[in-house]
Amino acid sequence: MSLARKLAIISCAAWLTIGIASTLLIADSGLDGIASPSGDRTRSILAAIILPGYLIGFAIIWWTRNGQRAGEIDERDKKVESRATEIAATIVLLTIFLVSIGLYDAYIDRGGVPVGWLYIMAYGTIVWVSFLHPVLRLIIDFSGTIDG
Amino acid sequence: MARARIKNRIRELREASEMTQSQLAKLSGCTRQTIIMLEQERYVPSLSLAFAIADALNSPIEDVFEPE
């Protein structure tokens, strides 16, 4: 199995786990809990899980481009990655639009959106894009619908 | 833009040279996965990779790749 494929599978599994853990933490704390001072612990745990995960992802990208194993990512892997980035950007923008418009619709009568939603959207975007990108890489890689 | 259709004889020439996919991948500077995709004609390589593969197979590029 190529290094690119291995990394995509590992990223997928890692971000799926982070996503499930974050959802459970938020569900346990509740929308109001996450936005209140008492939700400090939950917010700290979420930041401690998500932000290092994101930084490790960047470190892995650097490692595969400049590090010891730089030669193991070839032109096809880079094309797959680039196509996945294009599709992921579109999907993420669409997701943010749909969630925002959904919140607007849901809370228009109240005149304001609970601030906890901003927190969920901020961290949710990181988790969503980090999970979606390797999934797309795997789909494009296995489908073989890419040319050099 | 229509997808380029390029046929290749990589598998045939590789087997004639008694080379494994991994060996060819190493010689041409790509991954074994790419060689598999090329042999299945599910990937059209860049010009530089096409030249590298032809060079690794000791064949002129026109013997390895041809437009369909």
Side-chain angles (χ1 to χ4, degrees), chain A:
Chain A
M1 192 187 289
S2 69
L3 178 66
R5 202 172 270 187
K6 273 184 214 162
L7 289 175
I9 291 170
I10 292 167
S11 295
C12 243
W15 282 103
L16 182 65
T17 310
I18 291 172
I20 292 169
S22 305
T23 307
L24 291 174
L25 272 169
I26 291 169
D28 184 50
S29 182
L31 196 58
D32 293 331
I34 206 94
S36 69
S38 62
D40 272 353
R41 193 171 160 270
T42 308
R43 285 196 296 272
S44 301
I45 295 170
L46 282 172
I49 297 171
I50 295 169
L51 294 179
Y54 200 59
L55 293 175
I56 289 168
F58 271 112
I60 290 172
I61 291 171
W62 183 89
W63 177 63
T64 56
R65 293 285 184 276
N66 309 291
Q68 241 182 347
R69 304 186 72 171
E72 291 184 44
I73 301 286
D74 72 356
E75 64 166 47
R76 186 174 172 277
D77 296 326
K78 287 175 189 166
K79 287 275 173 190
V80 166
E81 210 172 285
S82 164
R83 177 72 61 85
T85 304
E86 283 171 24
I87 300 171
T90 309
I91 294 174
V92 168
L93 284 174
L94 195 64
T95 310
I96 292 170
F97 171 78
L98 290 174
V99 171
S100 306
I101 213 76
L103 287 172
Y104 170 80
D105 251 10
Y107 291 99
I108 189 167
D109 293 337
R110 289 198 211 170
V113 174
V115 73
W117 275 111
L118 295 179
Y119 189 88
I120 292 170
M121 279 180 72
Y123 280 93
T125 304
I126 293 179
V127 175
W128 178 224
V129 75
S130 303
F131 171 71
L132 184 65
H133 195 260
V135 169
L136 290 169
R137 263 151 52 201
L138 287 172
I139 292 171
I140 297 165
D141 189 3
F142 280 105
S143 69
T145 52
I146 192 126
D147 283 334

